[in-house]
Amino acid sequence: MNVLAAAMQLLVAVAFLSIPLVRHRFGPAAKAAAVAELRRQEVRPEVLEENRLRFDAGGHETAAPVTVAVVMTAVAVANIAEADSARLLTWIFSALVLLMNVVIVYSNLTAVRSVEAAFRRKGDPELARVEVAPFLRAAEGAFPGWVRIQTYVRNTIVFGGSAVALLAVSVA
């Protein structure tokens, strides 16, 4: 069963790596669309840079998913090697990944409210004038249609793969 857990953990790692890859490829188009929307709203586009708002794969948009992928790969290796710590590591990190993905999905579902609140917290009066829903729709619209499907597949892999890995080490 350790091989099954490892296979699921490697799938989860690949799923997380897809996040920065998609943002790297389509982030500049999303930014251009967001800038156009800001201009339509008569908000200076520079407000994005001034507040360090990004659509590309920079910063935590790469660091977090790559870290998850590295950790899950390391746990998969421990499972393949049948290390004594493999079961404990699987329980810790597969459970954490499940919980993290719940937070990610929740933040995606509540993006408009979350971004509005974040913009208010920044204290920038110009940023506070941004109509967030059309701003986010513009940025999301710059991603190809298959990205939404890829997101559903990624979430299915992360939730399902993590659950299967936990079950696999539980019965081993």
Side-chain angles (χ1 to χ4, degrees):
M1 290 299 203
N2 282 7
V3 172
L4 177 59
M8 295 299 105
Q9 290 159 337
L10 292 173
L11 280 174
V12 168
V14 170
F16 269 89
L17 288 177
S18 72
I19 297 168
L21 292 174
V22 168
R23 289 186 68 95
H24 174 74
R25 172 66 180 88
F26 301 105
K31 181 180 178 183
V35 164
E37 177 58 26
L38 289 177
R39 285 192 175 114
R40 188 196 68 73
Q41 293 182 26
E42 299 180 356
V43 174
R44 289 179 317 105
E46 294 79 17
V47 75
L48 293 177
E49 298 297 327
E50 292 165 4
N51 288 281
R52 290 184 242 129
L53 300 172
R54 307 175 68 143
F55 293 92
D56 62 7
H60 78 279
E61 293 292 346
T62 294
V66 167
T67 300
V68 170
V70 168
V71 168
M72 294 312 289
T73 300
V75 176
V77 168
N79 271 305
I80 291 167
E82 297 185 3
D84 293 338
S85 60
R87 179 179 289 183
L88 177 62
L89 292 172
T90 295
W91 270 100
I92 291 169
F93 291 109
S94 289
L96 279 174
V97 165
L98 269 170
L99 293 173
M100 284 173 25
N101 212 54
V102 167
V103 171
I104 291 167
V105 169
Y106 178 79
S107 73
N108 288 341
L109 293 174
T110 61
V112 172
R113 283 195 323 246
S114 299
V115 171
E116 286 171 343
F119 282 8
R120 281 192 303 274
R121 280 193 308 271
K122 291 270 188 183
D124 182 326
E126 191 163 27
L127 197 57
R129 290 189 311 117
V130 173
E131 295 173 43
V132 173
F135 171 74
L136 291 179
R137 266 195 312 276
E140 288 171 9
F143 289 90
W146 60 261
V147 171
R148 181 173 296 280
I149 295 166
Q150 182 258 356
T151 300
Y152 295 143
V153 170
R154 183 186 68 237
N155 286 325
T156 300
I157 289 170
V158 172
F159 285 126
S162 296
V164 169
L166 288 167
L167 288 171
V169 299
S170 296
V171 298

